[in-house]
């Protein structure tokens, strides 16, 4: 899907190369010399760590398809059933929304023709998947059977604490900073980082790797 460029390498080797990139940047861009570069701090388990996914929505012969755009392809969406970097909660929500769109004959977006209905699905999780919020981005139109959509999500995913409907009428492929309506619940997550409880809104910038955010803030 284009999201993983390092997975052919052992994780320890990945860290070595990433540290080398940092050194080269400090030397060639920063003009620094004779400094000590500490080893990269890696994860104990480098899988299932991403707390956010921004899915594109396209259309296949089976209906709407929610996935990622392959490298170099702005006009197609690669379907998938599993991503080893996402938290399972995000993955499961993706499947539920895709099934609901197909059952209601709501097509995905075709950027070539500028037609379709559903454009993006943004899903965020906190506390290891104990809280999830989602934003379904469509063309500027009402969400058909919004109450049914909310009921479907809540009945399958008790960890979901908020559901948002956002609209994008431009050609730009964006999923944040849009006009939006809260369909149910809250549009933010509660996450505890380094002992501090923070509100993370659906549009906010936040480290996609919560466990390493703890490590980063601890070092700082």
């Amino acid at each position: 899907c284009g999201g993983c460029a390092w997975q052919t390498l052992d994780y320890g080797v990945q860290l070595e190369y990433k540290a080398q990139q940092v050194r080269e940047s400090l030397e060639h861009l920063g003009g620094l010399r004779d400094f000590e570069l500490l080893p990269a701090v890696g994860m104990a388990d480098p899988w299932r760590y991403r707390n956010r996914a921004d899915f594109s929505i396209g259309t296949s012969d089976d209906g709407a398809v929610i996935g990622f755009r392959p490298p170099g392809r702005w006009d197609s969406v690669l379907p998938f059933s599993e991503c080893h970097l996402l938290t399972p909660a995000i993955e499961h929500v993706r499947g539920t929304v895709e099934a609901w769109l197909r059952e209601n004959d709501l097509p995905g977006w075709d950027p070539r023709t500028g037609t379709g209905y559903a454009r993006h699905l943004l899903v965020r999780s906190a506390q290891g998947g104990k809280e999830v919020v989602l934003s379904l981005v469509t063309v500027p139109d009402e969400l058909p059977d919004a109450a049914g959509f909310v009921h479907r999500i809540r009945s399958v995913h008790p960890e979901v604490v908020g559901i948002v409907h956002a609209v994008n009428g431009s050609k730009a492929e964006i999923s944040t900073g849009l006009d939006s309506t809260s369909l149910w619940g809250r549009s933010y997550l509660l996450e505890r980082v380094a002992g501090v409880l923070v509100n993370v809104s659906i549009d906010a910038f936040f480290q996609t790797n919560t466990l390493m955010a703890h490590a980063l803030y601890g070092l700082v």
Side-chain angles (χ1 to χ4, degrees):
C1 70
C4 299
W6 294 80
Q7 301 307 328
T8 52
L9 295 176
D10 175 81
Y11 184 55
V13 177
Q14 292 183 37
L15 295 179
E16 293 176 7
Y17 274 103
K18 291 175 181 179
Q20 181 177 320
Q21 287 184 339
V22 172
R23 176 180 295 278
E24 291 174 349
S25 295
L26 292 174
E27 290 177 344
H28 298 153
L29 301 179
L32 302 179
R33 297 290 185 273
D34 300 323
F35 57 85
E36 178 188 5
L37 182 68
L38 300 178
V41 178
M43 299 187 69
D45 181 10
W47 306 106
R48 299 293 185 183
Y49 64 84
R50 285 194 63 92
N51 58 33
R52 168 188 166 129
D54 191 346
F55 299 106
S56 295
I57 306 180
T59 299
S60 68
D61 293 339
D62 298 321
V65 54
I66 301 179
F68 297 119
R69 298 199 184 281
R73 294 297 303 272
W74 59 274
D75 58 342
S76 63
V77 175
L78 181 71
F80 76 98
S81 59
E82 185 176 17
C83 172
H84 296 282
L85 299 189
L86 297 177
T87 59
I90 292 178
E91 210 169 57
H92 297 157
V93 167
R94 183 211 66 83
T96 299
V97 176
E98 182 180 80
W100 184 84
L101 289 173
R102 293 182 178 186
E103 291 167 8
N104 288 271
D105 294 323
L106 296 174
W109 178 253
D110 184 344
R112 284 191 176 276
T113 62
T115 59
Y117 178 73
R119 300 190 61 168
H120 284 89
L121 174 66
L122 176 61
V123 189
R124 306 188 73 154
S125 67
Q127 302 177 42
K130 294 180 180 179
E131 286 196 356
V132 173
V133 294
L134 67 98
S135 173
L136 178 61
V137 181
T138 72
V139 298
D141 201 351
E142 292 186 1
L143 184 67
D145 190 21
F149 179 65
V150 170
H151 176 74
R152 177 68 170 274
I153 297 295
R154 294 186 63 191
S155 63
V156 179
H157 304 284
E159 69 277 11
V160 170
V161 297
I163 303 171
V164 174
H165 174 220
V167 297
N168 179 10
S170 71
K171 294 181 179 179
E173 290 290 293
I174 54 177
S175 60
T176 59
L178 302 168
D179 291 335
S180 62
T181 301
S182 177
L183 299 179
W184 172 81
R186 45 184 162 91
S187 58
Y188 62 89
L189 295 165
L190 295 176
E191 182 65 276
R192 188 171 296 278
V193 185
V196 178
L197 187 66
V198 295
N199 289 10
V200 183
S201 70
I202 189 72
D203 284 353
F205 170 81
F206 186 72
Q207 272 286 347
T208 57
N209 188 332
T210 308
L211 290 176
M212 294 310 288
H214 288 287
L216 175 65
Y217 298 155
L219 286 171
V220 172

